[in-house]
Amino acid sequence: QEYVAIKYSNRISLYRGHESQNYKLESTIVRLLKNNKKCCVQDVIDAEEKGFKMFCRDVFKEKWLCNKLKNSDETLFKMSIGRHLGLPCRLIDVTASLETAVWFAVMNPKFYNVDGEIVFLVVNKDNIEETSASPFSTNKVSYAHVPFMADSLNDMPLGEQRRYIQCGHFIWVDNNSLLNEQQSILDSAIHIAHFTIPREAKIPLATELYRDVYSGCA
């Protein structure tokens, strides 16, 4: 990670932990719907908007808006919280921390019988839109860091400790690229690498990283 910080100091360097090597760089909403062979882009858009409206109506609390940065888009802020609480949407969780990416690849016991993977992605700021705009209105591949400002973990929405660990980094694509997310992201990258985490290494890594990653949440 120190090498990456020096070599790609003028780039955006991101990591993503996959519980299984079979996973692609794709969003939860696409992964949910893609098994339907008749699924089209409009189906994804409609399902995402319906779920987001339900989240805003039934889960999101307006008092949380006081924890939003002033220059952050309200829709993006709400959707980022929803994503961490399990809302299927186009936001793809990434992190600037290699250790955090490894943690997400090894923490789920349901995947201890398969190899995991770390995806390392470097993008040129000229090829990606670093934005604070609504995910529904952005173009090409977008990236945002959406922090939740809070004095303590008790001020965060239930289940939002994930944001504390991941720090709210996301990438996503526009409507036209929703069914081709991975290729769109790869086209915007100047470097990408995949690192295997053998299944037999998952439990030792999870045990060790739990102490480090969750030390502030314990």
Side-chain angles (χ1 to χ4, degrees), residues 33 36-46 178-179:
L33 298 177
N36 183 348
K37 295 181 180 180
K38 297 182 179 179
C39 177
C40 64
V41 170
Q42 194 58 50
D43 292 331
V44 176
I45 296 171
D46 291 345
L178 276 173
L179 295 182

Side-chain angles (χ1 to χ4, degrees), residues 87-120:
L87 174 71
C89 63
R90 73 182 63 197
L91 298 185
I92 301 174
D93 305 85
V94 289
T95 175
S97 166
L98 173 59
E99 183 178 57
T100 300
V102 174
W103 166 248
F104 283 118
V106 303
M107 68 181 216
N108 191 344
K110 293 181 180 179
F111 290 85
Y112 282 171
N113 63 336
V114 297
D115 293 342
E117 182 181 64
I118 298 299
V119 180
F120 171 54

